Amino acid sequence: MPAADPRATVVVGDARFTVLTDRLLRMEYRGAVAFEDRPTLAFVHRRQPVPPFEWDMAEGALTTGHLRLRYTGGPFSTESLWVEPAPAALPSRGAFAGWRFGQTSGDDPLNLRGTIRALDKKNNVSLKCNGGGGGGGSRWVGAGFDSSDHCAWGVVSRSGWAL
C-alpha cells in the first residue's frame, strides 16, 4: 500500500496533511469524499521514514525544520491555509518566502517550466520557455508545434514551491 505512515499525517476535520519530507507537504481536503491514498506520479510510494515535525493544534501549525504550515480550519482558502518558512530555517539567497492557497504555478514568475511533450517531427525547435508557457500565448506557435505542446508549468521553481 502506498499510503504514508500514519505517524507522518495530521488530520484536522476534513483536512489531511502528510509530511513527506521536511520540505515537501501533501495537503488534502476531502469534503464528502474519502482521502486519496493511491500512488501519484510525483510520489509513488508515500510510506517513507517519518521526518521530524511538530503539530500545534492550538496554533494550527505544522512545523518541520524548513516549513511551517498554518491551517485555521474549514475548506482550504487564502485565509485558512498558507505555508511560510519555519522559524528555525536559515534565510538564504533565493530562499522560500511562502505560499498561500490559491497561488498557482502560473502566478510564480520563478517557475522553471516544463519541456516540450515530444520532439518528433519538430524540426530543431528551441526549448526557450519564456514566450508565454503554460499552454497559452507561446511565441513558438507556428514554429512546427503549438503552445499546448510546450512549456507547461514545471514542478521546480526558484521561489521554493511548485504545484
Side-chain angles (χ1 to χ4, degrees), residues 32-90:
V33 298
F35 287 121
E36 181 59 69
D37 286 326
R38 291 178 297 176
T40 63
L41 186 59
F43 223 92
V44 175
H45 187 75
R46 285 183 227 120
R47 189 169 291 269
Q48 301 291 325
V50 178
F53 73 94
E54 295 177 7
W55 169 246
D56 183 331
M57 178 67 109
E59 293 286 322
L62 185 158
T63 306
T64 73
H66 297 277
L67 305 172
R68 175 173 282 166
L69 176 142
R70 299 286 193 143
Y71 177 61
T72 61
F76 292 168
S77 71
T78 57
E79 292 80 31
S80 71
L81 178 64
W82 65 96
V83 181
E84 57 199 18
L90 296 174

Side-chain angles (χ1 to χ4, degrees), residues 113 129-140 147 150-153:
R113 310 289 193 267
C129 292
N130 58 359
S138 175
R139 68 180 183 194
W140 305 110
S147 62
H150 191 54
C151 299
W153 304 115

